[in-house]
Amino acid sequence: MADIAMQLHIDADADTIYRAVATAEGVHGWFTTTADVGEGVGATHALSFPGVPEPWRLTVTEAVAGERLVLAGENGPWAGTTQTYEILPEAQGGTTLR
């Protein structure tokens, strides 16, 4: 699978961004409200969507609060992929999510 890279400037601090991608409350706020999201290395994110027969599962392989989250896709369209969230505070304020 080809690499997909995105970068966003977000007017929020690094800890807020990390919680948005690494916690159940955060994921429910922007991606899917039917998600079971475990925290920390070895935990599983199980993301459910209408019309999809089973949750898409990802395993947390790296977790550094406020800095980085890495997920390994276990099934569905993300099977065999790696999702890396890098969180970079900006000197002028806000955060870059890469």
Side-chain angles (χ1 to χ4, degrees), residues 5-10 86 88 90 95-98:
M6 296 177 66
Q7 181 170 303
L8 302 169
H9 169 78
I10 302 171
E86 294 178 315
L88 309 164
E90 296 180 5
T95 303
T96 294
L97 174 62
R98 186 176 304 149

Side-chain angles (χ1 to χ4, degrees), residues 2-95:
D3 289 346
I4 300 171
M6 296 177 66
Q7 181 170 303
L8 302 169
H9 169 78
I10 302 171
D11 190 21
D13 63 77
D15 289 331
T16 298
I17 303 304
Y18 183 82
R19 287 190 306 272
V21 297
T23 70
E25 181 181 12
V27 170
H28 293 164
W30 70 276
F31 196 53
T32 179
T33 58
T34 50
D36 181 18
V37 177
E39 296 178 38
V41 173
T44 299
H45 290 201
L47 311 174
S48 298
F49 301 92
V52 176
E54 68 175 323
W56 296 342
R57 291 180 311 283
L58 302 107
T59 300
V60 178
T61 60
E62 187 177 342
V64 181
E67 295 180 21
R68 184 176 170 91
L69 179 70
V70 180
L71 303 167
E74 301 297 327
N75 71 331
W78 296 324
T81 66
T82 301
Q83 295 180 20
T84 303
Y85 296 90
E86 294 178 315
I87 301 162
L88 309 164
E90 296 180 5
Q92 69 276 20
T95 303

